[in-house]
Structures are given as C-alpha cells and as structure tokens.
Amino acid sequence: MLSTLGYGLLGLLATRAMTGYELTRMFDRSLAHVWSAGHSQVYPELAKLQAAGLIRQTESGARRSKRYSATAEGRAAVRRWLKRATALETIRSEPLLRVFFLWMVGPDAARTYLRAEAARHREQLAEYEAIAREIPASGEAALWSRISLEAGIRLERAMTEWAEWAERTAEAVQAGGKPA
Amino acid sequence: MLSTLGYGLLGLLATRAMTGYELTRMFDRSLAHVWSAGHSQVYPELAKLQAAGLIRQTESGARRSKRYSATAEGRAAVRRWLKRATALETIRSEPLLRVFFLWMVGPDAARTYLRAEAARHREQLAEYEAIAREIPASGEAALWSRISLEAGIRLERAMTEWAEWAERTAEAVQAGGKPA
DNA sequence: GCCTCCATGTAATTGGTTACATGATTCT
DNA sequence: AGAATCATGTAACCAATTACATGGAGGC
C-alpha cells in the first residue's frame, strides 16, 4: 500500500513519461486544486516507486534529468487504487476552527475575519474559473481534470456564500434577533 | 507560535476547565466538523501548553484526572491567533485526486465511484443537519458553533450536488456530446 | 469477578514542510 | 558575465496516526 502521493505520481506516470521536476510542477499547477507536493517529497518517493518495480527510468536527458514511466505493474496498482472504497476523511480546517472561537474577540473583529474569508474564497474561485476556461474541450483526461476542478469551483463558491451568510447572521443576532 | 492543535486546546480551555479526556471527546464530537485529534496528541500538547505558562492545572479529580484551564496569558494568545490573517490553505483531497485519474478505469467503474462519493457526502450532510437541530438557540458560543457547522453543511451539500453533476456530465460526454 | 467506560500516558512510524546544498543550460 | 530557470538531491523538524501499555471506578 502506497501513500496518496505515491499513487498520484504513479497516475501521472501512467499517462506519460515525466521527470521529477515535471511531476513537481504538475502538483504545483494542474493538480494544485486536489493535491500538492514539493520536490523534496517527490524525489525520494520516485526512488521508492522504482525500488517497488512500479515505475522505471526510460530516459536520461540533459541536466542530469531522469524521465520515468509506469510499468504494467504500476498501471495495475493505480487501477486497483481507483477502485478501492474511499476512506472517511478527517476534516481539518484551521480557518473554520477559528470561527468556532470567534465570539472571544467581539463583533468588529469577527466581522473583519469573515469579510477576509469571503474575499479569500472569492479570489480562489475566480482563479479556478480562469483555469477552467483554459482546459481543452476534448479528451478523456481533460474531461476528468475539468470534473475535479468543478469540485474546487463549487467548494469555493459555497465557502464564499457561507462567509457572507455568516456575517449577516452574526450581525442579526447581535442586533437582538434569534440565530437562523 | 503554537500548532493549530495547541490553539484549539487553548480556545477550549479559555471557555471552561477540562481534562485531557474531555478535550479529546470535544475534538471527536462538537469539533469533529472542523478539526480532529486523538488523545495521544492531546496529552503531550497539554504538557507543552503548561510548560509555556498558557494553561495551568486547576484540579486533581478521581481516576488520576487532571483538569486544566487557560491562564490570562493563554487567553491573550488565543485572541491574537483569532486576529491573525489566515494563511493560504494547501488543498489535499484523496477522493478528488482519484477523480483526476478516473478515465483510467472506464465508464462503469467511474460511475460506481461517483455514486459512492455522492452517498458518502449525502450521509455526512444528514449527520451535520441532525447535529444542527440539537444546538441550543441562544448563547454566543452556541451561535458560532452553529455558524462553523453551517460551513460543514454547505460543503457537504456542494459535494453531493457536484458528484451527481459529475455523473451526469461524464455520461453525457460518453454518449457523444461535449463536456459542459 | 468481569465488563465497560473513564483516564492518562509513551513509542514507533509515516507524511509533509522548510532549509540546506549543488550543478547544468539558456537567455540577455 | 550574470540572471533565471531547469534539475536533483539530503537533512532537520513537526504534526498526525497507530499501536502499546496501564490503571481506577462503577454497574451487573
């Protein structure tokens, strides 16, 4: 059983051969809305995948670069991973944990906090929508890339609307009303 | 600078005195929708907070239990944390990473996967809605607990609708149409 | 006496971030 | 010549999970 990062790398290398550098860029760009990883995590993980026979080096390029691709065994491992039942996710959001304690700082600071959160999610939403416009309209991989990005778009939209609702709700209660 | 867990514990202990066991239960129940932590993380962190003078033991009860509460310094630290700008979140969702690679397993397995995701989020949504009905309708802390729970509700609703949309979209494309 | 729940701890391991370190190639 | 970018690696540290370990108190 590999780590999620391992499967992510394996999935990318099942699509086409890439160097560690290119894989790192993928996690920082095309995959940033679902998973992220720095190069210091990628290179050691590639060594593990190679030792396990799931990928192999298929090319040695300029600047000491090594290009890997998935072996038949590696591609089979990805497919098995994709068919496994999803484990329960443990939610962990620092911004939302803070909201839980926001009554400790008074209405003004609370309002400031919620407005900043709304702005943050609004910006992220705009960024995702810009990326969505650039995804090609054909191809199997592009379709599923678009589908996963849509989740990011909907989550950011939901959080933007939530932050705006939260500000109104807190305001209404402080004005003497009842919570929603 | 404390870890997020440290601030979470400090926030709870600023509200009322609690034992490590009770704090662990809070993370497993009332706070489960924003943060989670097991007892093996809680006890060592309490020792750190005490060493830093942010909490102090105020009671020794039955079964060797120790009850802690936040010091004035501790409460000030929580308020500073609540007023800090939120850092950018690095998104990391294994289920969504899998969606990115879902074209590798064919339409039937993809549909099965998306339906399972929809069901998972639908169940989580129902659970959060049940908890929401039990939160008292008055009190500052209860209001902000309800507001943070609303984020969970909206996120689960968004993901449920996304999974249903994704199934329809993938289906439509495979039937020869164009992606949305 | 046994089971369950309360209650607290430590150890080992994994996953992830930040910092350190180096060298090759291309562009200006 | 110098800067930017490509490219790969290691080390130290922190956060979190799983497993190990123990014991008290109350109910049946």
Side-chain angles (χ1 to χ4, degrees):
Chain A
M1 251 259 286
L2 296 171
S3 65
T4 302
L5 173 64
Y7 285 112
L9 291 169
L10 209 48
L12 289 170
L13 294 177
T15 314
R16 63 178 183 85
M18 277 185 259
T19 65
Y21 188 84
E22 289 171 322
L23 288 161
T24 304
R25 255 192 337 191
M26 287 293 284
F27 278 106
D28 197 51
R29 302 219 213 309
S30 326
L31 263 88
H33 60 289
V34 290
W35 201 267
S36 64
H39 78 273
S40 69
Q41 234 189 322
V42 168
Y43 292 114
E45 191 68 31
L46 284 173
K48 278 186 219 166
L49 291 172
Q50 191 175 30
L54 301 171
I55 62 171
R56 64 166 196 283
Q57 196 187 323
T58 49
E59 198 191 317
S60 288
R63 296 187 194 95
R64 297 172 299 163
S65 75
K66 301 175 190 172
R67 197 169 297 268
Y68 300 89
S69 56
T71 62
E73 214 185 318
R75 280 189 298 272
V78 176
R79 276 192 296 269
R80 275 197 305 276
W81 171 59
L82 292 170
K83 287 174 180 175
R84 279 217 302 262
T86 301
L88 290 166
E89 283 182 285
T90 41
I91 296 160
R92 199 166 260 134
S93 163
E94 209 212 359
L96 287 180
L97 177 64
R98 290 207 225 175
V99 170
F100 195 89
F101 297 116
L102 222 47
W103 57 272
M104 294 186 194
V105 288
D108 285 358
R111 193 186 312 114
T112 302
Y113 184 85
L114 292 172
R115 284 192 187 167
E117 284 299 288
R120 191 169 70 85
H121 289 294
R122 203 151 32 221
E123 277 160 36
Q124 192 61 72
L125 173 61
E127 208 176 299
Y128 286 161
E129 282 172 336
I131 295 166
R133 272 177 245 118
E134 279 160 30
I135 292 179
S138 70
E140 273 283 274
L143 168 67
W144 290 98
S145 162
R146 179 66 186 78
I147 286 175
S148 71
L149 184 58
E150 178 73 15
I153 289 173
R154 288 174 182 236
L155 288 174
E156 294 300 333
R157 194 178 289 140
M159 285 307 282
T160 306
E161 287 167 8
W162 164 81
E164 290 165 353
W165 168 89
E167 196 195 329
R168 288 194 308 271
T169 302
E171 202 94 358
V173 173
Q174 266 129 25
K178 271 189 178 179
Chain B
M1 251 259 288
L2 297 171
S3 64
T4 302
L5 173 64
Y7 285 112
L9 292 170
L10 210 46
L12 289 170
L13 294 178
T15 313
R16 63 180 184 85
M18 276 184 260
T19 64
Y21 187 85
E22 288 171 323
L23 288 162
T24 304
R25 256 193 335 193
M26 287 292 283
F27 279 107
D28 197 50
R29 301 217 209 316
S30 326
L31 262 88
H33 60 290
V34 290
W35 201 269
S36 63
H39 78 274
S40 69
Q41 235 190 321
V42 168
Y43 292 114
E45 191 68 32
L46 284 172
K48 280 187 216 166
L49 291 172
Q50 190 173 32
L54 300 171
I55 62 171
R56 64 168 196 284
Q57 195 187 323
T58 49
E59 198 191 316
S60 288
R63 298 186 194 96
R64 296 171 301 161
S65 76
K66 301 175 191 173
R67 197 169 298 267
Y68 299 90
S69 57
T71 62
E73 215 186 318
R75 281 189 296 274
V78 176
R79 276 192 296 270
R80 276 197 304 278
W81 169 61
L82 292 170
K83 286 173 179 175
R84 281 217 302 263
T86 301
L88 290 166
E89 284 182 285
T90 41
I91 298 160
R92 201 165 257 133
S93 163
E94 211 212 356
L96 287 180
L97 177 64
R98 290 207 226 176
V99 169
F100 195 89
F101 297 116
L102 222 47
W103 56 272
M104 295 186 194
V105 288
D108 285 356
R111 192 184 313 115
T112 303
Y113 184 85
L114 292 173
R115 283 192 187 165
E117 283 301 288
R120 191 168 69 86
H121 289 295
R122 204 152 28 223
E123 278 160 36
Q124 191 62 73
L125 173 60
E127 208 175 299
Y128 287 162
E129 282 173 336
I131 295 167
R133 271 176 247 122
E134 279 161 30
I135 292 178
S138 70
E140 274 284 274
L143 167 67
W144 290 99
S145 162
R146 179 65 186 78
I147 286 175
S148 71
L149 183 59
E150 178 73 16
I153 290 173
R154 287 173 184 237
L155 288 174
E156 294 300 333
R157 195 179 289 141
M159 285 307 283
T160 305
E161 287 167 6
W162 164 82
E164 290 165 351
W165 168 89
E167 196 195 328
R168 288 194 307 272
T169 302
E171 202 92 358
V173 172
Q174 267 130 24
K178 271 189 179 177

